[in-house]
Amino acid sequence: MFKNVLIAEDHESANISVQKTLEELGINGAKYVYYCDHALTWVRNALRSGEPYDLLITDLYFEKDHYEQQLSDGKELIQAVKQVQPGLKVIVFSAESRPAIVDGLFKTLSIDGYVRKARRDAQHLKEALQVVYGNKTYLSPDLKQTVREKNSHEFTTFDVTIISLLSKGMLQKDIPYYLRQNDIKPSGLSSVEKRLNLMKEILGFSKNEQLIVYCKDIGII
């Protein structure tokens, strides 16, 4: 089992809970920090001392306070530590439940596990630790179905067209005119709105801007 573990979590109660879960698996003496900058510094120092961390457990979102940080969230922290120690295993422990965000962590940051802060999260964290230690990836059971549904969504030519137009700055209300001019059907505003709302619902987004960024990231547009 893991020996040297670093926890990056800005809420003390969650920090204590994670430490207790680790201790129940025989992982004692885990280090913890409240800031992403400190976590990166500790990873660097551990490498220099010849006793690198085996695992980083981090939240995604950190509240801002009087302490100014270079790294503002868990995603930036993961990117930074991967550059310093590429082989470091990472489990994200967060309340984030949007499937596109969670799936993106595995695809773009190569995390090893994701545990959502929810009911039975202590049990799921234990499962994650054991699975990740066995060199496999772990995703909380309650998120597997939603991520599977997201990945099953197939973008149609119509989807790509309206997202591309939005990405170029065209207003949503003006898209039907473009569709009619280019003999693209359906061309009604209600059809455009329904399709956009469907994609955002499946992918877990609330704004068109988030949908555009996601489609750029995965190469749809």
Side-chain angles (χ1 to χ4, degrees):
M1 184 48 72
F2 297 108
K3 294 182 178 179
N4 298 326
V5 179
L6 178 63
I7 305 166
E9 167 62 62
D10 58 346
H11 289 175
E12 186 175 8
S13 59
N15 222 322
I16 294 172
S17 176
V18 173
Q19 290 179 65
K20 182 178 179 181
T21 300
L22 293 175
E23 290 170 358
E24 290 175 356
L25 287 176
I27 305 172
N28 298 304
K31 306 299 182 183
Y32 61 90
V33 292
Y34 297 114
Y35 297 97
C36 294
D37 284 9
H38 291 171
L40 179 59
T41 297
W42 284 42
V43 170
R44 285 173 172 162
N45 290 342
L47 274 173
R48 292 194 190 100
S49 67
E51 297 182 353
Y53 288 105
D54 306 312
L55 173 70
L56 168 67
I57 300 175
T58 181
D59 197 350
L60 273 186
Y61 307 113
F62 290 73
E63 291 184 12
K64 293 183 179 181
D65 60 12
H66 64 281
Y67 183 81
E68 186 174 347
Q69 296 187 82
Q70 296 296 316
L71 303 173
S72 61
D73 58 32
K75 290 179 66 175
E76 292 184 3
L77 170 60
I78 296 168
Q79 289 173 330
V81 298
K82 289 285 187 178
Q83 292 178 354
V84 174
Q85 188 180 341
L88 179 63
K89 292 187 181 299
V90 176
I91 293 176
V92 174
F93 186 50
S94 171
E96 176 61 70
S97 61
R98 287 173 291 179
I101 301 297
V102 176
D103 193 42
L105 295 172
F106 285 96
K107 291 181 176 178
T108 64
L109 296 180
S110 299
I111 67 169
D112 300 278
Y114 188 93
V115 177
R116 188 168 79 92
K117 292 178 180 177
R119 294 184 181 90
R120 302 176 66 193
D121 54 12
Q123 177 184 333
H124 293 159
L125 182 56
K126 288 181 183 179
E127 294 172 357
L129 288 161
Q130 294 167 333
V131 170
V132 171
Y133 184 72
N135 295 316
K136 297 179 181 179
T137 58
Y138 180 89
L139 176 62
S140 291
D142 58 326
L143 288 175
K144 284 184 178 180
Q145 182 61 33
T146 54
V147 169
R148 189 179 298 115
E149 290 173 354
K150 183 201 81 72
N151 287 332
S152 68
H153 178 71
E154 294 184 7
F155 289 89
T156 66
T157 301
F158 184 69
D159 293 341
V160 175
T161 298
I162 59 179
I163 296 171
S164 297
L165 292 173
L166 288 172
S167 71
K168 294 175 182 177
M170 184 176 291
L171 297 178
Q172 184 172 316
K173 65 183 180 65
D174 295 331
I175 291 179
Y177 176 77
Y178 174 92
L179 298 177
R180 288 192 293 270
Q181 289 293 103
N182 291 272
D183 196 26
I184 299 173
K185 298 179 180 180
S187 59
L189 180 58
S190 62
S191 297
V192 172
E193 292 175 340
K194 286 179 181 178
R195 197 63 196 174
L196 285 170
N197 288 335
L198 175 64
M199 287 187 284
K200 287 185 289 187
E201 180 180 354
I202 291 174
L203 297 170
F205 296 130
S206 59
K207 298 179 180 179
N208 288 341
E209 291 79 4
Q210 295 171 311
L211 178 61
I212 292 169
V213 170
Y214 173 75
C215 289
K216 286 182 178 179
D217 287 343
I218 65 175
I220 294 294
I221 58 174

